[in-house]
Amino acid sequence: MRSEALEDLFVHELEELYDAEKQIYKGLTVMAKKAADSDLKSAFSTHQKQTKDHIRRLEQSFKALNEDARRGSAPGIHGLIKQANESISRGHDPSVTDAALITSAQKIEHYEMAAYGCLRTHAGILGYKQIEELMSTTLKEEEEADKLLTGIAENSVNPHAAAAPYAQARTGKRHDGAGDSNGGKISLGTMAIGLAIGGALSLLLKSPGNPPRPQTPYPTRY
Ligand SMILES: [Fe+2]
Ligand SMILES: [Fe+2]
């Protein structure tokens, strides 16, 4: 028996993903433009072309359901693209910007992988064989894109980013204190006061310890 509730969720998921893919298509234009690494640039351009196919497959799915291709709302993807734009506008070294681009792109790919995986499963449960196959094809492309990004990060972008100088344009304090007014250095005076307070506290809080546990050679039986 077909569940109308699941059918309703299924159409809602399709509409949400339709909006997500349209946002991603737009976002990939910016990402391809901002990428410095030539492999990364071409990976984004290739995936943008694939994204066009993803949109087309969603439209085919709507058609198979006799539904209009309606664009729902995907605030999750909107947030991830917003984060990506913020991350790449920080004025890093180009290799660090590339690392930020890969981080953002992989967050987006994982969103898509989860969404297409669920859609494929729900299509199967509802008996929509054609949609199940369409979603499966797209899911495979999302997984391949994710793997390709991992490869580019490991082989090229991350090693370069690891050797990049610290970008002064970065805003906000770093956790290691590099953004402090004295450059994160602790004066000898401060260190001496800290040690004295630490010593006094350890003397005050020193406890006699837990009394030794009575040894029972064998478990007591009742
Ligand atoms: Fe996609
Ligand atoms: Fe994708």
Side-chain angles (χ1 to χ4, degrees), residues 21 54 112 142:
E21 287 287 22
H54 302 172
E112 290 186 288
E142 306 292 13

Side-chain angles (χ1 to χ4, degrees), residues 97-211:
T97 298
D98 281 351
L101 280 167
I102 292 177
T103 305
S104 299
Q106 288 197 295
K107 285 178 189 172
I108 292 169
E109 289 314 315
H110 282 246
Y111 172 106
E112 290 186 288
M113 280 151 61
Y116 280 110
C118 292
L119 267 175
R120 181 186 61 176
T121 302
H122 292 164
I125 294 168
L126 294 164
Y128 297 130
K129 192 83 196 130
Q130 188 201 350
I131 303 178
E132 189 183 5
E133 280 165 19
L134 289 168
M135 299 301 101
S136 198
T137 308
T138 300
L139 177 60
K140 228 173 264 166
E141 288 179 2
E142 306 292 13
E143 286 168 346
E144 281 163 9
D146 181 57
K147 266 189 209 140
L148 181 65
L149 289 170
T150 299
I152 295 170
E154 286 177 353
N155 298 325
S156 169
V157 169
N158 287 352
H160 285 113
Y166 176 61
Q168 294 303 313
R170 184 191 164 108
T171 53
K173 282 187 179 181
R174 296 175 69 188
H175 296 302
D176 62 2
D180 296 348
S181 55
N182 67 354
K185 286 174 195 153
I186 300 169
S187 71
L188 279 176
T190 311
M191 204 185 284
I193 293 166
L195 284 171
I197 293 171
L201 276 173
S202 74
L203 279 172
L204 277 171
L205 298 173
K206 204 169 184 182
S207 71
N210 293 327

Side-chain angles (χ1 to χ4, degrees), residues 17 20-21 24-25 28 47 50-55 58 108-109 112 116 138 141-142:
L17 206 42
E21 287 287 22
I24 293 164
Y25 183 82
L28 280 165
H47 198 55
Q50 287 177 324
T51 301
K52 217 172 194 173
D53 292 334
H54 302 172
I55 293 170
L58 288 170
I108 292 169
E109 289 314 315
E112 290 186 288
Y116 280 110
T138 300
E141 288 179 2
E142 306 292 13

Side-chain angles (χ1 to χ4, degrees), residues 25 27-35 37-52 148-149 152:
Y25 183 82
L28 280 165
T29 310
V30 180
M31 291 168 109
K33 210 168 140 192
K34 293 275 178 183
D37 183 280
S38 60
D39 287 342
L40 184 59
K41 204 180 255 300
S42 97
F44 285 146
S45 298
T46 304
H47 198 55
Q48 193 185 28
K49 283 182 199 120
Q50 287 177 324
T51 301
K52 217 172 194 173
L148 181 65
L149 289 170
I152 295 170

